[in-house]
Amino acid sequence: MFEYTQVTVNALTLVTFAVGNIIGTEIFLPKDAPAYIPGKTAIMILLVIQIFVSFGLRYLNQRLNRQRFKTLQELKAQKGWTDDDVQKEKERHAFMDLTDKEYVFIVFYLLK
C-alpha cells in the first residue's frame, strides 16, 4: 500500500507545478500593465499561504520526530539496546527499502 506513496507525491508535485505555470501566465495580463496590481496581489496572497503551509509542515515534522523518538526509546528499553546497537540497527535497515512509516530510525530535521 505504501510503495506508491512517493510516486504519488512526486506526480502531484509536478501537476501543481504545471498548473501554477499555467495560472501564472493568466494573472499578469497586458491590460493591467505597467503596475500589474492583480498579479502582484495574487503572488502576495500565495506567499502568505506558503508561510502557513511552512509552519504546518514544521509542526508535522516535530510531531513525527516526537513519535519516532518515543518509539525508538521503547525499542531500546524493550530490547536492551545501547546507542551503538541503535546505530548498527540503523545501518542494517538503511537499504531495506522501507517506507518512512516503517523505518523507525529516520529523523525529520528542523532548523532551530
Side-chain angles (χ1 to χ4, degrees):
M1 178 175 154
F2 295 112
E3 294 88 23
Y4 301 104
T5 304
Q6 185 159 356
V7 173
T8 304
V9 169
N10 288 342
L12 287 174
T13 301
L14 286 173
V15 167
T16 55
F17 182 75
V19 169
N21 284 330
I22 292 168
I23 291 172
T25 61
E26 298 299 320
I27 61 174
F28 287 95
L29 299 174
K31 69 176 182 168
D32 300 327
Y36 296 106
I37 299 298
K40 291 177 183 177
T41 304
I43 287 175
M44 290 305 296
I45 291 170
L46 291 173
L47 288 174
V48 169
I49 291 171
Q50 180 59 41
I51 290 171
F52 290 108
V53 168
S54 297
F55 281 116
L57 287 173
R58 180 179 173 85
Y59 169 76
L60 177 66
N61 285 339
Q62 286 175 332
R63 195 181 83 188
L64 289 173
N65 280 342
R66 282 192 298 271
Q67 289 173 352
R68 289 179 190 282
F69 183 75
K70 181 181 174 187
T71 303
L72 187 56
Q73 294 305 319
E74 290 172 358
L75 276 174
K76 284 175 74 172
Q78 181 183 32
K79 298 188 179 203
W81 287 347
T82 64
D83 288 338
D84 289 334
D85 294 330
V86 170
Q87 185 62 31
K88 288 177 187 174
E89 285 296 313
K90 185 177 182 179
E91 291 170 4
R92 190 173 74 81
H93 284 84
F95 297 102
M96 291 180 67
D97 198 29
L98 300 173
T99 65
D100 289 349
K101 291 186 180 186
E102 295 170 332
Y103 188 60
V104 177
F105 305 102
I106 192 171
V107 175
F108 297 99
Y109 292 98
L110 302 170
L111 297 174
K112 294 188 179 193

